[in-house]
Amino acid sequence: MKVAVFGTKSYDRQFLEAAAKGTEIQWHFFEPRLTETTVPLAHPFPAICCFVNDMLGGEVLSRLAEGKTRMIAMRCAGYNNVDLAEAKQLGIQVARVPAYSPYAVAEHAVGLILTLNRKYHKAYNRVREGNFSIEGLLGFDLHGKTVGVIGTGKIGQLFAQIMHGFGCHLLAYDVQPAEACTKLGAKYVSLDELFAQSDIISLHCPLLPATKHLIDDDAIAKMKPGVMVINTSRGALINTKAAIEGLKSGRIGYLGIDVYEEEADLFFENKSETVIQDDVFARLMTFPNVLVTGHQAFFTENALEAIAEVTVENLQEFAAGKPLTREVKVD
Ligand code: NAD
């Protein structure tokens, strides 16, 4: 079976090729991401393989359905960029990789916390320039701090475990509390209580209509002054303009994000020679207490191996006409 891969990077090619060795899958790698402009490339392919910033809204899906495409294999866990209702209507099946390495993302979230707190990025540059002053690098002990975890699924639970190891008190909020978190000593509380009591808030819930802009002006106003906010989940969980106001007023003391609501036009590409047109993002970059990584939380070799293997399994099920074990459907 021929499968078109959109938004291909060298690492996608490396891991997908290894996982498909000896199978009937023939990859056709396209560098552009899937958009209304690039969708004709998909026409001859019964299945396509997409990622977080491919555009899978109504228009692109109906153009896919005009061609041969009947299956979308997402090589990621999130599927907020897919119009599932439209896909169903058009007879296009969607599968994903629900879990690959939750450790990768949980560990990256902790990395953001440590870097923002102890300012390793600044220390690295200083020392390389022969500046051994530690003025301005003052941090705080994580031990004894209260950490609020929003979304205690696979990643949130692991994150909670690591923070428990640092000696933090854990607060949690989820629509479905997890026993594993309660056993760690986490206390499930209302969102308002979590906002009011946490020194660090980390987001691990999916982007849904109910969670869009979960962190907005109102939420920020309820937080402790100087709070640290970490987002490794999806950009639109945070209203970026509200976060900027929070940073300006000092209510948010630190912001660490691996995802950004308008990341599709920026992330995964080298823009170092380009003038960034996104003024909101540009403003974020001016704060000394903001750390942005470009959606790399998942990016470990363990995760890429697992993603490629499961993506191949999803495509093999489709090729064999079997029910898709990891199909994503409208609720
Ligand atoms: P999961 O499905 O195991 O857990 C999600 C949790 O969120 C569940 O416990 C669910 O009950 C909870 N939830 C749902 N609606 C909620 C709401 N309204 N309020 C609070 N909690 C709610 O998912 P996971 O594997 O832990 O992944 C979490 C998120 O991490 C994914 O949705 C994805 O967006 C993001 N992610 C990011 C990266 C990255 O590289 N940055 C990689 C993988 C996943």
Side-chain angles (χ1 to χ4, degrees):
M1 182 176 65
K2 291 182 176 172
V3 181
V5 181
F6 282 89
T8 310
K9 302 290 179 203
S10 61
Y11 46 85
D12 293 313
R13 187 185 275 264
Q14 178 193 338
F15 285 92
L16 288 172
E17 274 176 348
K21 227 177 203 159
T23 74
E24 71 284 18
I25 290 170
Q26 292 171 30
W27 304 113
H28 287 249
F29 294 106
F30 293 116
E31 280 182 24
R33 64 190 174 100
L34 183 66
T35 63
E36 287 177 18
T37 314
T38 60
V39 67
L41 292 170
H43 279 182
F45 296 93
I48 63 171
C49 178
C50 294
F51 194 51
V52 293
N53 291 326
D54 286 307
M55 290 168 67
L56 290 153
E59 175 62 26
V60 169
L61 289 174
S62 54
R63 303 271 300 280
L64 284 175
E66 285 164 20
K68 283 192 175 167
T69 309
R70 296 295 172 266
M71 194 251 185
I72 300 166
M74 299 299 293
R75 54 180 190 281
C76 52
Y79 49 88
N80 50 283
N81 52 333
V82 190
D83 185 336
L84 289 177
E86 191 63 22
K88 185 180 176 193
Q89 187 84 13
L90 294 163
I92 298 177
Q93 289 182 287
V94 182
R96 66 172 179 139
V97 185
Y100 34 95
S101 173
Y103 303 99
V105 184
E107 289 168 11
H108 189 76
V110 177
L112 291 177
I113 294 173
L114 290 171
T115 308
L116 277 169
N117 175 15
R118 305 304 297 269
K119 304 166 183 66
Y120 298 133
H121 51 317
K122 295 182 185 180
Y124 173 85
N125 285 321
R126 275 193 199 183
V127 169
R128 289 185 66 104
E129 288 172 8
N131 174 0
F132 301 100
S133 160
I134 57 171
E135 295 274 3
L137 301 183
L138 191 66
F140 57 85
D141 287 3
L142 284 174
H143 182 91
K145 290 287 178 292
T146 299
V147 176
V149 188
I150 301 183
T152 51
K154 291 176 287 295
I155 296 170
Q157 282 176 36
L158 287 171
F159 171 80
Q161 241 179 54
I162 301 172
M163 297 318 290
H164 177 67
F166 278 109
C168 296
H169 303 296
L170 296 171
L171 296 178
Y173 174 80
D174 195 307
V175 287
Q176 280 183 307
E179 212 188 318
C181 267
T182 320
K183 278 190 180 157
L184 278 177
K187 192 171 148 208
Y188 280 89
V189 293
S190 68
L191 263 184
D192 280 1
E193 205 176 331
L194 186 147
F195 291 148
Q197 291 186 22
S198 302
D199 301 298
I200 299 172
I201 296 173
S202 193
L203 307 177
H204 299 287
C205 58
L207 176 61
L208 304 165
T211 58
K212 184 168 182 204
H213 289 179
L214 186 82
I215 306 300
D216 59 6
D217 288 316
D218 281 354
I220 293 167
K222 291 172 190 158
M223 293 177 190
K224 272 192 178 178
V227 64
M228 182 186 288
V229 177
I230 301 293
N231 187 9
T232 54
S233 196
R234 282 292 178 268
L237 294 179
I238 297 183
N239 178 336
T240 315
K241 287 186 177 153
I244 287 172
E245 287 311 311
L247 285 158
K248 282 164 75 178
S249 72
R251 173 70 64 165
I252 297 182
Y254 311 80
L255 179 69
I257 56 175
D258 184 52
V259 286
Y260 166 60
E261 51 183 337
E262 302 300 333
E263 70 179 47
D265 292 331
L266 289 173
F267 286 8
F268 302 112
E269 303 301 331
N270 180 357
K271 301 269 183 186
S272 57
E273 301 300 321
T274 313
V275 175
I276 289 184
Q277 299 297 326
D278 181 338
D279 291 348
V280 175
F281 187 78
R283 180 68 178 101
L284 264 189
M285 291 296 98
T286 65
F287 294 98
N289 48 353
V290 169
L291 178 62
V292 181
T293 52
H295 210 139
Q296 68 168 87
F298 74 101
F299 198 54
T300 65
E301 52 191 37
N302 316 67
L304 290 195
E305 252 169 46
I307 289 171
E309 278 165 20
V310 174
T311 300
V312 165
E313 276 173 35
N314 288 342
L315 287 161
Q316 285 179 311
E317 285 180 351
F318 171 72
K322 292 184 183 164
L324 302 182
T325 314
R326 303 167 202 89
E327 183 166 10
V328 202
K329 293 185 183 162
V330 251
D331 296 329

